[in-house]
Amino acid sequence: MITDWHTLNREPSLPGLYARAATRRKITGTTLPDSGLRCWVDVDPKRLAAYRKVCGFADNGLLPPTYPHILGFALQMQLLTTRDFPFPLLGLIHLSNRIRLLRPMGGVNRARVSVQVQNLQPHAKGATFDLLTTLDDQLGPLWEAQSRMLCRGVKLEGEPLEENLVTNLDMNEVEHWKAPSDIGRQYAKVSGDYNPIHLSAASARLFGFPTAIAHGLWNKARTLAALAGHLPVANVEIAVQFKKPVRLPSEVTLLASEPGASGDFQLVGVGELEHMVGHWRPVA
C-alpha cells in the first residue's frame, strides 16, 4: 500500500481531539484510510523526567524504549479521529504491541514522528488493524512500533487469524510491584492518554469495566524498566501480547529469562493470572 503522507507544522492539540473522539460512537465503514501523518516533535525534558518517574526508568541518558509512544500520541489521536477513519476511538482494544529499537536513543532532542494504519483483518470479535508509528532523527530510522487494535462489532469476510505470542525459555521472578489505584491518572498526565477506562472506577464502569484498569503501555513500560539490565539498548525487537487487564489497585510479579540477546518475560497477578507475555529478540 502506498501511503499518502501529510506533514503537520506542529503537534495537534489533544483537548480538541478528545472532544471529537467523544462524539464518534458508530462504525462508519470497513476501509482504512491510506493517508498518514508526520510531524517533527521536540523532547520536553520535564515531561521525559516525569515519565521516567511514573514508569520506573532510570535516567541513563537514553530515551526509554517506550517513550516514542508518548511523542507520537497526539498524531495517533488525530489519525484515529479523522472523518475517514471508520471506527470509534473509544472502545478500541489494544491486543499487542511490538517495538524495534534500531539504534541507541541517546541525545535525541528532536525527531520526526510518522503514524499510519494498515492490515485490516477479520477477528472472532470484530476486526483488527495495525497502528504503525516510526521515529526518525537526522540520521534516519531510529525506532518503530506496531500496535494491533481490535474494534468489536465489525463484520469482515474471511477467516479470523489467531495471534499467540509463544514464550519457551525458563523464567524466574525478577521484581514484584504494586499498581496503585491512581496509576492510570498518573500515567495519563505524562502520556496524554485520558481514556476513561483507566482513570477511575466510576468512569471505567461506563465502558463495562467493574474498576479502572492500568494502561497496557504502562504495564509494558514498567516491565521494561525492570528489565533494563536484561535488554540490549539497540538492534532489539520487544513484543508483548496483552492478556487479562490489570485491575486497579493490584499487585503483579514479573518473571523473565536470563539477560542476553534474546529472552522471554511474563507479567502475572494474584493466583497466577496472566496479564502480559512478551519476548525480546535481535531485529531480523
Side-chain angles (χ1 to χ4, degrees):
M1 183 183 76
I2 299 176
T3 303
D4 180 18
W5 290 106
H6 299 271
T7 301
L8 306 183
N9 294 325
R10 59 180 180 272
E11 288 185 78
S13 172
L14 283 174
L17 296 177
Y18 272 110
R20 188 189 299 175
T23 62
R24 293 277 303 275
R25 296 298 180 92
K26 294 183 179 180
I27 297 168
T28 59
T30 55
T31 303
L32 296 177
D34 59 4
S35 58
L37 299 177
R38 284 176 169 165
C39 183
W40 284 90
V41 299
D42 295 315
V43 177
D44 181 343
K46 290 183 179 180
R47 188 182 187 191
L48 174 57
Y51 178 86
R52 285 192 174 111
K53 183 177 180 180
V54 169
C55 298
F57 287 105
D59 185 357
N60 61 357
L62 302 172
L63 287 187
T66 48
Y67 193 69
H69 284 296
I70 308 305
L71 298 177
F73 183 70
L75 278 183
Q76 294 172 352
M77 282 283 293
Q78 174 139 332
L79 184 65
L80 298 180
T81 56
T82 56
R83 186 170 297 177
D84 57 348
F85 183 73
F87 310 138
L89 176 60
L90 293 178
L92 292 180
I93 299 169
H94 197 172
L95 297 180
S96 64
N97 176 265
R98 185 183 305 270
I99 62 177
R100 296 182 180 93
L101 285 77
L102 305 178
R103 290 186 283 116
M105 294 195 294
V108 180
N109 300 312
R110 182 173 171 80
R112 187 182 69 171
V113 180
S114 305
V115 299
Q116 60 181 310
V117 289
Q118 62 181 36
N119 193 30
L120 187 64
Q121 297 287 341
H123 186 275
K125 296 180 179 179
T128 62
F129 66 92
D130 293 337
L131 173 62
L132 306 180
T133 307
T134 59
L135 197 73
D136 296 78
D137 63 7
Q138 300 288 356
L139 299 178
L142 186 63
W143 177 99
E144 56 191 34
Q146 174 197 62
S147 290
R148 182 147 295 168
M149 314 297 292
L150 167 66
C151 182
R152 294 178 183 269
V154 181
K155 298 185 184 300
L156 294 179
E157 293 183 0
E159 289 296 320
L161 298 176
E162 292 295 328
E163 179 188 34
N164 281 305
L165 197 154
V166 178
T167 55
N168 52 26
L169 299 178
D170 292 334
M171 292 182 278
N172 298 303
E173 181 175 335
V174 173
E175 195 171 323
H176 181 91
W177 64 79
K178 294 181 179 180
S181 58
D182 67 341
I183 194 61
R185 296 189 293 278
Q186 290 186 48
Y187 185 77
K189 289 180 181 178
V190 300
S191 67
D193 186 353
Y194 284 89
N195 189 323
I197 64 175
H198 304 304
L199 303 182
S200 70
S203 60
R205 280 195 289 269
L206 297 175
F207 293 87
F209 292 89
T211 186
I213 63 174
H215 293 76
L217 285 178
W218 179 78
N219 292 330
K220 183 173 184 177
R222 182 65 184 84
T223 293
L224 298 191
L227 292 176
H230 286 61
L231 302 169
V233 298
N235 192 40
V236 62
E237 176 181 283
I238 309 166
V240 300
Q241 190 170 10
F242 301 113
K243 300 290 191 175
K244 296 294 184 181
V246 176
R247 296 184 179 183
L248 301 177
S250 285
E251 295 188 26
V252 297
T253 300
L254 173 64
L255 308 172
S257 53
E258 294 298 314
S262 298
D264 295 336
F265 56 88
Q266 181 186 37
L267 192 67
V268 297
V270 177
E272 298 187 353
L273 181 66
E274 193 173 54
H275 295 302
M276 185 178 73
V277 296
H279 67 229
W280 70 91
R281 304 283 189 265
V283 173

